[in-house]
């Protein structure tokens, strides 16, 4: 015991859960690479301004969730709450456009938001995300969306919903936002304090509100669909056509606007019914104005981000366990009194061959070592006794078959290979 605890909303990931997370990350990253996405890693810390500017005032993240602090040099830094703004910053700062468009990248790592911790909502969580920058082609939106579908299929997940919407662009959104504002002004009595404020500053954000009364009030709100300009409408229709062609089932939800200001046109999310209130596992959309917002040339982009803790919860809720933990292949059990050298020599040879191997470090008797081998899930135990050693032999035990043989120490590695 210790009086220290992991900070609220954070937790240690311990085996075997940590290994499930590791395998999930490997699977998801491999899938991104199969689709032509390359890896990018940006710092955990960024200028606070980067997020404040891009994510937007009156968003949950910027108003109350960012971990920002003044460092010893007086700079305001923020622990990244999301991955898109950092990627776009890196795209501009490193001139990635010169490597050929579209730039298709993926990232994976921890994000930080000071939220009220609850099931599926943490202060540190892990996201994988993908960004495709430089093309307006709606097929790229479809490719980004279809990643989740492909990953869920690989994991055996079936019961989820894909919601899509278009949130319009700089041309058509303002007129819609004006209409929404008039509606909200008339309905002020049915809105929470924050939404009343949002009515002035950023009306679209009222759709993020989780307050039941606000949600009921919003049932009669005008929706964006009929306000889309011809370009947005055409893009959205093309996207829906592509999703159809790819065999994906979706629902158009005109109230789904996503919690970030930089989205334009496409917005989408994947939900799992079994997860309770925190049922969105993946969200994303197009952000054609973001590069300009960050001081770069106009450049379209589209991306997604997926919460991996929530995805693991979805697997568990569905009773799926696609990640069988890797077993230890060989445990070397030396009888008390046996020299260390032959044990270490054999251990080294097995490991050099790529066979996973472990041995006793606690000075245990043979029986206790067998127990340890069992605990480690070992497939084979090699027992080394003094008498056997003298005759150049060891005892090999196949734990699955419950069989054992006395075999020459020479050629042991080959013999073990046969069993594995
Ligand atoms: P929510 O409405 O649940 O707060 P969000 O709109 O803030 O979600 P995004 O910013 O789009 O979520 O993040 C993408 C994904 O990251 C989410 O769908 C979710 O799976 C995951 N995620 C976001 N915040 C958290 C958190 N606090 N804890 C765990 N996972 C999270
Ligand atoms: Mg949130």
């Amino acid at each position: 015991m210790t009086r220290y605890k992991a900070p609220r909303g954070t937790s240690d990931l311990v085996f075997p859960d940590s290994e499930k997370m590791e395998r999930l990350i490997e699977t998801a990253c491999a899938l991104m690479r199969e689709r032509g996405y390359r890896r990018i890693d940006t710092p955990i810390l960024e200028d606070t301004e980067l997020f404040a500017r891009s994510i937007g005032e009156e968003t949950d993240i910027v108003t109350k969730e960012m971990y920002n602090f003044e460092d010893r040099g007086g700079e305001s830094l923020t622990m990244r709450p999301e991955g898109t703004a950092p990627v776009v910053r890196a795209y501009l700062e490193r001139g990635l456009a010169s490597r050929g468009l579209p730039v298709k990248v993926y990232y994976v790592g921890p994000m930080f938001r000071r939220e009220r911790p609850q099931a599926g909502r943490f202060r540190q969580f892990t996201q994988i995300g993908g960004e495709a920058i430089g093309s307006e082609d709606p097929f790229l939106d479809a490719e980004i969306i279809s990643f989740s579908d492909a990953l869920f299929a690989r994991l055996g997940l079936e019961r989820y919903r894909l919601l899509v919407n278009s949130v319009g662009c700089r041309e058509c959104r303002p007129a819609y936002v004006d209409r929404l504002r008039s509606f909200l002004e008339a309905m002020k009595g049915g809105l929470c304090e924050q939404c009343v404020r949002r009515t002035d500053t950023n009306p679209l954000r009222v759709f993020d509100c989780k307050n039941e009364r606000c949600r009921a009030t919003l049932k009669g709100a005008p929706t964006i669909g009929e306000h889309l300009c011809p370009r947005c409408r055409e893009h959205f229709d093309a996207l829906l056509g592509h999703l159809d062609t790819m065999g994906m089932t979706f629902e158009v939800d005109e109230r789904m606007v996503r919690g970030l200001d930089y989205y334009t046109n496409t917005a989408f999310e994947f939900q799992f019914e079994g997860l309770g209130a925190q049922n969105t596992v993946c969200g994303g959309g197009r952000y054609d104005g973001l590069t300009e917002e960050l001081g770069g040339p106009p450049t379209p982009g589209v991306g997604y981000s997926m919460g991996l803790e929530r995805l693991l919860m979805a697997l568990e809720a569905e009773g799926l366990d696609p990640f069988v933990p890797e077993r230890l292949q060989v445990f070397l059990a030396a009888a008390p009194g046996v020299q260390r050298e032959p044990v270490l020599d054999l251990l080294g040879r097995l490991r050099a061959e790529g066979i996973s191997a472990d041995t006793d470090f606690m000075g245990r008797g043979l029986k206790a070592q067998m127990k340890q081998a069992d605990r480690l899930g070992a497939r084979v135990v090699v027992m080394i006794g003094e008498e056997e050693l003298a005759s150049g032999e060891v005892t090999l035990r196949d734990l699955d078959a419950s069989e054992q043989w006395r075999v020459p120490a020479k050629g042991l590695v080959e013999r073990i290979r046969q069993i594995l």
Side-chain angles (χ1 to χ4, degrees):
M1 277 298 278
T2 162
R3 63 194 179 85
Y4 298 106
K5 286 197 169 78
R8 197 165 129 76
T10 73
S11 60
D12 305 302
L13 203 52
V14 177
F15 54 86
D17 294 345
S18 48
E19 289 152 356
K20 284 185 187 168
M21 178 61 97
E22 187 180 28
R23 299 280 294 280
L24 176 59
I25 290 174
E26 285 164 5
T27 307
C29 290
L31 203 54
M32 287 305 286
R33 289 193 298 272
E34 281 170 35
R35 303 171 153 245
Y37 287 74
R38 308 285 298 270
R39 171 95 180 202
I40 187 164
D41 288 286
T42 63
I44 302 275
L45 295 174
E46 295 276 358
D47 266 345
T48 299
E49 194 55 27
L50 173 70
F51 297 114
R53 259 221 99 106
S54 58
I55 298 172
E57 310 292 335
E58 291 301 332
T59 57
D60 283 351
I61 295 181
V62 173
T63 50
K64 51 188 186 201
E65 295 175 357
M66 290 209 297
Y67 276 101
N68 50 342
F69 61 94
E70 202 174 283
D71 79 355
R72 286 163 200 271
E75 268 176 88
S76 179
L77 296 177
T78 292
M79 294 174 73
R80 63 178 186 194
E82 62 103 45
T84 302
V87 167
V88 172
R89 195 246 332 118
Y91 167 87
L92 293 171
E93 183 180 341
R94 305 290 303 249
L96 298 187
S98 68
R99 302 190 186 197
L101 298 179
V103 170
K104 303 208 298 182
V105 290
Y106 71 92
Y107 59 83
V108 62
M111 303 294 162
F112 304 84
R113 297 182 192 178
R114 198 175 183 291
E115 307 211 52
R116 192 168 68 76
Q118 49 195 296
R121 197 174 284 288
F122 317 105
R123 290 180 171 181
Q124 176 176 339
F125 58 97
T126 315
Q127 277 185 346
I128 182 166
E131 314 291 348
I133 305 173
S135 164
E136 272 183 313
D137 188 343
F139 188 63
L140 210 44
D141 308 39
E143 179 181 273
I144 283 284
I145 294 174
S146 69
F147 164 78
S148 298
D149 214 48
L151 179 62
F152 300 160
R154 204 163 278 196
L155 300 174
L157 283 163
E158 283 168 355
R159 297 194 307 141
Y160 54 88
R161 298 202 305 161
L162 163 61
L163 306 181
V164 291
N165 190 21
S166 173
V167 296
C169 67
R170 267 189 300 211
E171 306 298 318
C172 55
R173 191 157 45 194
Y176 166 67
V177 168
D178 279 347
R179 255 201 76 193
L180 179 62
R181 182 178 284 125
S182 315
F183 169 85
L184 295 172
E185 270 161 4
M187 304 298 277
K188 259 189 181 135
L191 297 175
C192 71
E193 216 173 283
Q194 190 183 20
C195 284
V196 170
R197 209 173 59 229
R198 284 163 158 169
T199 300
D200 288 331
T201 53
N202 196 345
L204 260 192
R205 293 277 70 85
V206 297
F207 289 112
D208 301 336
C209 189
K210 295 183 168 89
N211 183 315
E212 280 310 319
R213 210 160 60 99
C214 293
R215 286 191 180 243
T217 306
L218 287 171
K219 283 219 165 76
T223 51
I224 194 156
E226 65 216 50
H227 293 83
L228 293 181
C229 62
R231 272 190 72 203
C232 284
R233 172 50 62 193
E234 197 185 313
H235 184 96
F236 192 47
D237 288 344
L239 167 62
L240 300 186
H242 293 327
L243 293 177
D244 254 337
T245 308
M246 295 166 108
M248 296 179 59
T249 312
F250 58 84
E251 296 156 48
V252 175
D253 178 354
E254 297 201 86
R255 285 188 172 72
M256 194 267 301
V257 295
R258 308 292 312 143
L260 307 158
D261 270 359
Y262 53 65
Y263 284 127
T264 51
N265 212 322
T266 311
F268 68 91
E269 65 185 45
F270 284 88
Q271 299 181 344
F272 283 85
E273 287 317 318
L275 286 188
Q278 269 56 256
N279 64 356
T280 304
V281 166
C282 177
R286 209 162 242 294
Y287 44 82
D288 292 346
L290 184 54
T291 42
E292 273 175 281
E293 191 66 44
L294 300 183
T299 316
V302 58
Y304 77 88
S305 63
M306 184 184 287
L308 296 183
E309 287 82 4
R310 285 190 197 173
L311 185 53
L312 286 176
M313 289 168 69
L315 285 169
E316 203 171 306
E318 297 289 296
L320 292 168
D321 191 3
F323 307 118
V324 185
E326 265 175 41
R327 294 175 67 177
L328 180 71
Q329 291 173 303
V330 181
F331 188 85
L332 299 185
V338 166
Q339 294 288 313
R340 275 325 238 170
E341 282 73 25
V343 178
L344 294 184
D345 175 58
L346 184 53
L347 194 62
R349 278 194 290 138
L350 287 167
R351 288 174 173 171
E353 289 284 318
I355 296 172
S356 63
D358 205 352
T359 190
D360 172 60
F361 297 98
M362 304 304 289
R364 293 186 173 110
L366 263 186
K367 213 169 143 203
Q369 288 188 57
M370 289 307 286
K371 223 169 147 185
Q372 175 69 358
D374 216 41
R375 204 178 290 138
L376 295 173
R379 175 69 208 279
V380 173
V381 174
V382 177
M383 280 175 280
I384 307 175
E386 281 192 275
E387 176 220 337
E388 287 146 311
L389 213 52
S391 58
E393 292 183 312
V394 296
T395 299
L396 203 58
R397 185 171 173 79
D398 179 336
L399 290 187
D400 283 7
S402 295
E403 275 184 79
Q404 68 182 47
W405 314 268
R406 208 154 148 154
V407 301
K410 247 187 156 176
L412 180 66
V413 175
E414 288 67 36
R415 185 69 199 270
I416 289 174
R417 271 218 184 285
Q418 282 167 6
I419 298 178
L420 301 172

PDB file of all heavy atoms in Angstrom, residues 22 51 163 168 186 217 232 237 263 318-319 407:
ATOM      1  N   GLU A  22      -2.556  -2.779 -26.054  1.00  0.00           N
ATOM      2  CA  GLU A  22      -1.406  -2.816 -26.967  1.00  0.00           C
ATOM      3  C   GLU A  22      -1.779  -3.504 -28.283  1.00  0.00           C
ATOM      4  O   GLU A  22      -1.473  -3.016 -29.372  1.00  0.00           O
ATOM      5  CB  GLU A  22      -0.254  -3.550 -26.280  1.00  0.00           C
ATOM      6  CG  GLU A  22       1.049  -3.502 -27.048  1.00  0.00           C
ATOM      7  CD  GLU A  22       2.155  -4.243 -26.328  1.00  0.00           C
ATOM      8  OE1 GLU A  22       1.876  -5.198 -25.581  1.00  0.00           O
ATOM      9  OE2 GLU A  22       3.328  -3.861 -26.520  1.00  0.00           O
ATOM     10  N   PHE A  51      -5.134  25.470 -29.527  1.00  0.00           N
ATOM     11  CA  PHE A  51      -6.433  24.820 -29.279  1.00  0.00           C
ATOM     12  C   PHE A  51      -7.551  25.849 -29.137  1.00  0.00           C
ATOM     13  O   PHE A  51      -8.651  25.649 -29.628  1.00  0.00           O
ATOM     14  CB  PHE A  51      -6.350  23.939 -28.036  1.00  0.00           C
ATOM     15  CG  PHE A  51      -5.367  22.816 -28.187  1.00  0.00           C
ATOM     16  CD1 PHE A  51      -4.215  22.769 -27.415  1.00  0.00           C
ATOM     17  CD2 PHE A  51      -5.584  21.816 -29.126  1.00  0.00           C
ATOM     18  CE1 PHE A  51      -3.302  21.726 -27.563  1.00  0.00           C
ATOM     19  CE2 PHE A  51      -4.675  20.774 -29.281  1.00  0.00           C
ATOM     20  CZ  PHE A  51      -3.523  20.735 -28.501  1.00  0.00           C
ATOM     21  N   LEU A 163     -23.856   7.669 -37.620  1.00  0.00           N
ATOM     22  CA  LEU A 163     -24.665   8.861 -37.872  1.00  0.00           C
ATOM     23  C   LEU A 163     -23.849   9.830 -38.712  1.00  0.00           C
ATOM     24  O   LEU A 163     -22.664  10.043 -38.441  1.00  0.00           O
ATOM     25  CB  LEU A 163     -25.031   9.548 -36.553  1.00  0.00           C
ATOM     26  CG  LEU A 163     -25.718   8.697 -35.486  1.00  0.00           C
ATOM     27  CD1 LEU A 163     -26.024   9.542 -34.248  1.00  0.00           C
ATOM     28  CD2 LEU A 163     -26.998   8.080 -36.028  1.00  0.00           C
ATOM     29  N   GLY A 168     -22.553  22.231 -43.067  1.00  0.00           N
ATOM     30  CA  GLY A 168     -22.464  23.396 -43.938  1.00  0.00           C
ATOM     31  C   GLY A 168     -21.073  24.025 -43.950  1.00  0.00           C
ATOM     32  O   GLY A 168     -20.133  23.498 -43.345  1.00  0.00           O
ATOM     33  N   ALA A 186     -36.254  32.931 -28.919  1.00  0.00           N
ATOM     34  CA  ALA A 186     -37.672  32.786 -28.585  1.00  0.00           C
ATOM     35  C   ALA A 186     -37.900  31.709 -27.529  1.00  0.00           C
ATOM     36  O   ALA A 186     -38.903  31.727 -26.817  1.00  0.00           O
ATOM     37  CB  ALA A 186     -38.456  32.447 -29.852  1.00  0.00           C
ATOM     38  N   THR A 217     -36.204  21.177 -25.690  1.00  0.00           N
ATOM     39  CA  THR A 217     -36.442  22.454 -26.371  1.00  0.00           C
ATOM     40  C   THR A 217     -35.966  22.391 -27.825  1.00  0.00           C
ATOM     41  O   THR A 217     -36.608  22.911 -28.742  1.00  0.00           O
ATOM     42  CB  THR A 217     -35.676  23.585 -25.648  1.00  0.00           C
ATOM     43  OG1 THR A 217     -36.051  23.572 -24.279  1.00  0.00           O
ATOM     44  CG2 THR A 217     -35.972  24.935 -26.267  1.00  0.00           C
ATOM     45  N   CYS A 232     -22.267  22.271 -50.801  1.00  0.00           N
ATOM     46  CA  CYS A 232     -22.308  21.391 -49.625  1.00  0.00           C
ATOM     47  C   CYS A 232     -23.282  20.237 -49.865  1.00  0.00           C
ATOM     48  O   CYS A 232     -23.010  19.094 -49.520  1.00  0.00           O
ATOM     49  CB  CYS A 232     -22.719  22.167 -48.377  1.00  0.00           C
ATOM     50  SG  CYS A 232     -21.378  23.185 -47.722  1.00  0.00           S
ATOM     51  N   ASP A 237     -24.315  14.614 -50.729  1.00  0.00           N
ATOM     52  CA  ASP A 237     -24.985  13.556 -51.486  1.00  0.00           C
ATOM     53  C   ASP A 237     -23.982  12.568 -52.074  1.00  0.00           C
ATOM     54  O   ASP A 237     -24.209  11.357 -52.073  1.00  0.00           O
ATOM     55  CB  ASP A 237     -25.861  14.158 -52.597  1.00  0.00           C
ATOM     56  CG  ASP A 237     -27.107  14.844 -52.031  1.00  0.00           C
ATOM     57  OD1 ASP A 237     -27.437  14.580 -50.847  1.00  0.00           O
ATOM     58  OD2 ASP A 237     -27.726  15.659 -52.741  1.00  0.00           O
ATOM     59  N   TYR A 263     -15.328  22.002 -37.722  1.00  0.00           N
ATOM     60  CA  TYR A 263     -15.916  21.139 -38.742  1.00  0.00           C
ATOM     61  C   TYR A 263     -16.693  21.925 -39.795  1.00  0.00           C
ATOM     62  O   TYR A 263     -17.386  22.889 -39.495  1.00  0.00           O
ATOM     63  CB  TYR A 263     -16.826  20.090 -38.110  1.00  0.00           C
ATOM     64  CG  TYR A 263     -16.046  18.985 -37.452  1.00  0.00           C
ATOM     65  CD1 TYR A 263     -16.268  18.625 -36.142  1.00  0.00           C
ATOM     66  CD2 TYR A 263     -15.052  18.321 -38.165  1.00  0.00           C
ATOM     67  CE1 TYR A 263     -15.523  17.616 -35.546  1.00  0.00           C
ATOM     68  CE2 TYR A 263     -14.299  17.326 -37.579  1.00  0.00           C
ATOM     69  CZ  TYR A 263     -14.536  16.980 -36.264  1.00  0.00           C
ATOM     70  OH  TYR A 263     -13.803  15.995 -35.684  1.00  0.00           O
ATOM     71  N   GLU A 318     -19.931  -6.700 -25.542  1.00  0.00           N
ATOM     72  CA  GLU A 318     -20.416  -7.680 -26.517  1.00  0.00           C
ATOM     73  C   GLU A 318     -19.875  -9.079 -26.239  1.00  0.00           C
ATOM     74  O   GLU A 318     -20.111 -10.000 -27.008  1.00  0.00           O
ATOM     75  CB  GLU A 318     -20.003  -7.269 -27.937  1.00  0.00           C
ATOM     76  CG  GLU A 318     -20.604  -5.955 -28.411  1.00  0.00           C
ATOM     77  CD  GLU A 318     -22.102  -6.058 -28.681  1.00  0.00           C
ATOM     78  OE1 GLU A 318     -22.492  -6.798 -29.582  1.00  0.00           O
ATOM     79  OE2 GLU A 318     -22.869  -5.385 -27.963  1.00  0.00           O
ATOM     80  N   GLY A 319     -19.104  -9.197 -25.148  1.00  0.00           N
ATOM     81  CA  GLY A 319     -18.529 -10.504 -24.814  1.00  0.00           C
ATOM     82  C   GLY A 319     -17.468 -10.966 -25.794  1.00  0.00           C
ATOM     83  O   GLY A 319     -17.247 -12.157 -25.967  1.00  0.00           O
ATOM     84  N   VAL A 407      15.276 -35.896 -22.583  1.00  0.00           N
ATOM     85  CA  VAL A 407      15.871 -35.727 -23.919  1.00  0.00           C
ATOM     86  C   VAL A 407      17.290 -35.208 -23.807  1.00  0.00           C
ATOM     87  O   VAL A 407      17.647 -34.588 -22.802  1.00  0.00           O
ATOM     88  CB  VAL A 407      15.038 -34.733 -24.771  1.00  0.00           C
ATOM     89  CG1 VAL A 407      13.612 -35.216 -24.944  1.00  0.00           C
ATOM     90  CG2 VAL A 407      15.049 -33.352 -24.146  1.00  0.00           C
TER      91      VAL A 407
END
